[in-house]
Amino acid sequence: RRRLWNMPHLGLLTVGALLEPRYEPEYIDLTYDTLPENRYDYVFLSPTTPQARRAYALADAFRRRGMRVAMGGPHVTMLPEEALEHADTVFAGESESSIGEFLSGSDKRLYTAERKPPLQASPVPLYELAMKYPYSSMPVQLSRGCPHRCEFCLSTAIYGGMVRRKSLEQTELELKKLKQLYGDPFIFFTDDNFFSGNQDVHALLALLRRLALRWYAFTDITLYRRGDIIAELYKAGCRKLLIGFESLNAET
């Protein structure tokens, strides 16, 4: 458990890559660092729900020091009005489709993604910013969206029911960068349903095998029908799969 969840914040590293070259982003993980005394043009926060109260207190403290604060991520997407009580700028939804307007000088307080961006618009995250911390896993996201609407899951509400995927070329670029930076990283694929909607699954597994990466992913129970995939998993570096069961009631 410690290994799987000890990893950097993929959303913030992706936002960092969306910024223009004139900016100099710094990534700070308060699990390992103390609160910095530096002054920043903008502080970006993306808290999970359990982190929200602390994030709001941090946002208030930064703003009292005269810095501007932007907030985003799943919790903020679902509760943007709550976040607006503590932030100068709030991003609701996927930032690839709204950060361009923000960077152009627009002074809106709330940017709501009006569309689900194609993942070809998503850059390689700035993984290099996280190298100063002793992470044991590295997150990679190859797709967004899930065809299921499980009651306990937020994914479809945020990302939609259609699976959007990065190209195999994008995937290879990201994974090669991680190998270059970290040597032999343990990859945590954060896709909600790793094999869903993937018409190129054998090509992906062949790539993972060629790069000799070890990895973990989420899937659903329908994988049991794909003996051709299951036969390849371990050789392709798969070490764990998580399957979420919404109910163990036989009637459902």
Side-chain angles (χ1 to χ4, degrees), residues 177-226:
K177 181 174 182 179
L178 278 170
K179 279 188 70 76
Q180 179 186 2
L181 293 172
Y182 292 92
D184 182 27
F186 187 81
I187 304 296
F188 188 164
F189 288 111
T190 66
D191 308 48
D192 292 295
N193 202 329
F194 189 65
F195 300 104
S196 180
N198 187 352
Q199 305 305 314
D200 249 350
V201 60
H202 290 291
L204 173 60
L205 293 176
L207 172 64
L208 291 166
R209 184 173 182 175
R210 178 159 52 85
L211 294 177
L213 289 166
R214 296 166 301 120
W215 52 275
Y216 162 71
F218 303 138
T219 184
D220 64 30
I221 192 60
T222 59
L223 181 66
Y224 84 91
R225 301 190 188 118
R226 296 294 307 271

Side-chain angles (χ1 to χ4, degrees), residues 146-164:
C146 181
H148 306 304
R149 296 181 178 272
C150 302
E151 290 183 4
F152 61 80
C153 182
L154 215 55
S155 175
T156 306
I158 294 177
Y159 296 130
M162 180 180 293
V163 179
R164 292 163 286 138

Side-chain angles (χ1 to χ4, degrees), residues 36-43 59 61-69 88:
E37 295 298 323
N38 301 6
R39 289 190 60 81
Y40 300 99
D41 296 321
Y42 246 99
V43 176
F62 280 120
R63 294 176 81 194
R64 284 194 295 269
R65 290 167 54 190
M67 287 174 268
R68 296 176 69 79
V69 172
D88 299 284

